[in-house]
Amino acid sequence: QVQLVQSGAEVKKPGASVKVSCKASGYTFTGYYIHWVRQAPGQGLEWMGRINPDSGDTNFAQKFQGRVTLTRDTSITTAYMDLTRLRSDDTAVYYCARDSLTGTTVYWGQGTLVTVSS
Amino acid sequence: DIQMTQSPSTLSASVGDRVTITCRASQDISSWLAWYQQKPGKAPNLLIYKASSLESGVPSRFSGSGSGTEFTLTISSLQPDDFASYYCQQYNSPLVTFGPGTKVDIK
């Protein structure tokens, strides 16, 4: 069965960076895009970007251009989201999610809480 | 980026009610529209894809319609398990956008 398992909660200071991992299993890792979506406390879902695990090609929401890096390591079927220059409003649960043949995201990780606080 | 709006932002309803949520896109997205349900502390769950296709395992009381810029999600008879937040999502590649969400609570 498809599983996406994310790394644990992080607490960071403003200005720092955070790297969240997403370990995929149960399918061909290079066959489907991995998306990253975040949700601030009490707020809605916000799409950040996606990576093609086969080619490494990425697409980003305009808001995150230049501050987010998406990478993958195909040898260990893991995708990574790196967010730099953290601010307090980056406090959120960060999710990875996998594309499907229908074109949208069906499988989701459990979420990783990133707290930015001085 | 394509902008998405949803209405209403909050909806109070009773078990058995017919519920309709509307989603609008800032430009034509054909049928590249999905609907998700989310409960507190959980990841979103896909209900509808390509505007009107029911995801496997989702109860038939959920349905979607629309194309272009205007879409609706309908729950034909609201059940206790349906009290949650609902989000539309456009995936007219390569960028993706979510609507702001609609919270369905108990009247």
Side-chain angles (χ1 to χ4, degrees):
Chain A
Q1 71 285 17
V2 175
Q3 277 197 303
L4 300 172
V5 179
Q6 298 182 224
S7 48
E10 302 261 14
V11 179
K12 296 290 183 179
K13 294 198 181 301
S17 299
V18 69
K19 191 168 189 173
V20 178
S21 67
C22 174
K23 167 71 176 175
S25 61
Y27 72 98
T28 302
F29 180 65
T30 52
Y32 301 88
Y33 280 91
I34 294 286
H35 298 246
W36 289 89
V37 176
R38 76 177 187 181
Q39 186 169 38
Q43 302 302 307
L45 301 168
E46 184 173 33
W47 185 80
M48 301 176 69
R50 69 176 190 173
I51 184 167
N52 179 332
D54 188 25
S55 64
D57 288 346
T58 54
N59 303 101
F60 297 99
Q62 191 169 10
K63 173 177 179 176
F64 296 102
Q65 289 271 6
R67 210 160 64 92
V68 171
T69 303
L70 301 181
T71 56
R72 89 291 188 216
D73 185 335
T74 57
S75 69
I76 55 171
T77 65
T78 300
Y80 301 93
M81 186 282 299
D82 200 333
L83 183 61
T84 61
R85 304 191 303 276
L86 289 168
R87 307 184 294 252
S88 57
D89 62 357
D90 291 318
T91 294
V93 175
Y94 289 76
Y95 292 101
C96 63
R98 201 209 83 174
D99 243 358
S100 72
L101 293 175
T102 64
T104 190
T105 46
V106 177
Y107 303 99
W108 292 68
Q110 82 277 19
T112 296
L113 175 62
V114 175
T115 302
V116 183
S117 174
S118 55
Chain B
D1 298 2
I2 297 172
Q3 307 303 314
M4 307 298 291
T5 59
Q6 277 183 245
S7 59
S9 55
T10 306
L11 188 160
S12 295
S14 303
V15 172
D17 284 353
R18 182 181 181 88
V19 165
T20 299
I21 299 169
T22 297
C23 177
R24 289 185 175 86
S26 61
Q27 63 189 70
D28 189 342
I29 58 168
S30 184
S31 295
W32 301 113
L33 192 284
W35 290 97
Y36 292 84
Q37 177 193 70
Q38 189 183 31
K39 297 182 179 179
K42 300 292 187 182
N45 182 46
L46 179 67
L47 301 174
I48 302 284
Y49 63 92
K50 212 167 181 194
S52 60
S53 296
L54 192 68
E55 174 67 7
S56 176
V58 173
S60 59
R61 63 181 180 272
F62 292 93
S63 64
S65 65
S67 67
T69 61
E70 188 153 338
F71 304 86
T72 58
L73 172 71
T74 300
I75 309 172
S76 60
S77 178
L78 199 66
Q79 298 302 300
D81 191 48
D82 302 338
F83 291 97
S85 293
Y86 293 85
Y87 295 90
C88 61
Q89 177 208 51
Q90 69 79 19
Y91 53 106
N92 187 42
S93 292
L95 304 185
V96 171
T97 321
F98 287 94
T102 295
K103 185 176 181 181
V104 177
D105 62 22
I106 300 172
K107 195 172 191 179

